[in-house]
Amino acid sequence: MFDQRDRKIVEFLQQDADMPVTDLADAVGLSASACWRRIKNLEETGLIARKVAIVDRRKANVGMTVFVAVRTSRHSMDWLESFRRAISDIPEIVEAYRLTGEMDYLLRLVVPDVEVYDAVYKRLIARLDFTDISSFIGMEELKYTTAVPMNYL
């Protein structure tokens, strides 16, 4: 379905989605038109879900990352949907996962400071009941990427 050139195209586009097709074609050994067709196919199949701009968090004044582990005693679909709604309109929550193990959910927030995190926390607990919410402030970002490994494709 996808070959080595497709994987290379995606690897390059994950680093720079604005890379000119002619440069990308040269880098993967294709003509510009063949490369363009492959990109369109990767988009149509959904492998390339969308193209976005990655904003520098510090320049946007949200340099603090807070990880929030959430535990609840309620495990119904109604509660899960209420939780989805509660977090969906809080822009500081940039990622949310349902987990296995001791914690039920993990959130990643980006905020300018602890005071803003506290305000987000209060908005969240005003909407739903939780058994436990534990916060962890990221001290240093050791690795961050939006690129997905292509060696499993």
Side-chain angles (χ1 to χ4, degrees), residues 129-144:
D129 291 323
F130 301 97
T131 301
D132 181 54
I133 296 181
S134 299
S135 303
F136 308 90
I137 295 174
M139 299 297 291
E140 179 182 3
E141 186 176 277
L142 301 176
K143 179 180 179 180
Y144 173 80

Side-chain angles (χ1 to χ4, degrees), residues 58-119:
R58 284 167 185 74
K59 290 182 180 174
N61 194 33
V62 287
M64 178 182 282
T65 300
V66 182
F67 297 94
V68 179
V70 174
R71 204 171 352 166
T72 180
S73 60
R74 300 203 38 215
H75 296 280
S76 68
M77 287 303 293
D78 288 341
W79 194 92
L80 175 59
E81 288 309 313
S82 295
F83 184 62
R84 280 186 209 267
R85 284 191 303 276
I87 64 174
S88 69
D89 66 345
I90 300 175
E92 293 85 357
I93 300 173
V94 295
E95 292 183 74
Y97 300 91
R98 189 166 56 89
L99 306 174
T100 62
E102 290 190 33
M103 289 297 158
D104 297 309
Y105 302 92
L106 182 65
L107 310 176
R108 185 171 73 88
L109 288 74
V110 293
V111 293
D113 52 42
V114 172
E115 289 79 17
V116 173
Y117 167 65
D118 189 46

Side-chain angles (χ1 to χ4, degrees), residues 38-55:
R38 283 179 182 251
I39 293 168
K40 289 299 165 200
N41 182 58
L42 292 165
E43 292 171 347
E44 288 168 7
T45 61
L47 183 64
I48 296 176
R50 63 182 189 248
K51 297 176 184 175
V52 299
I54 298 174
V55 174

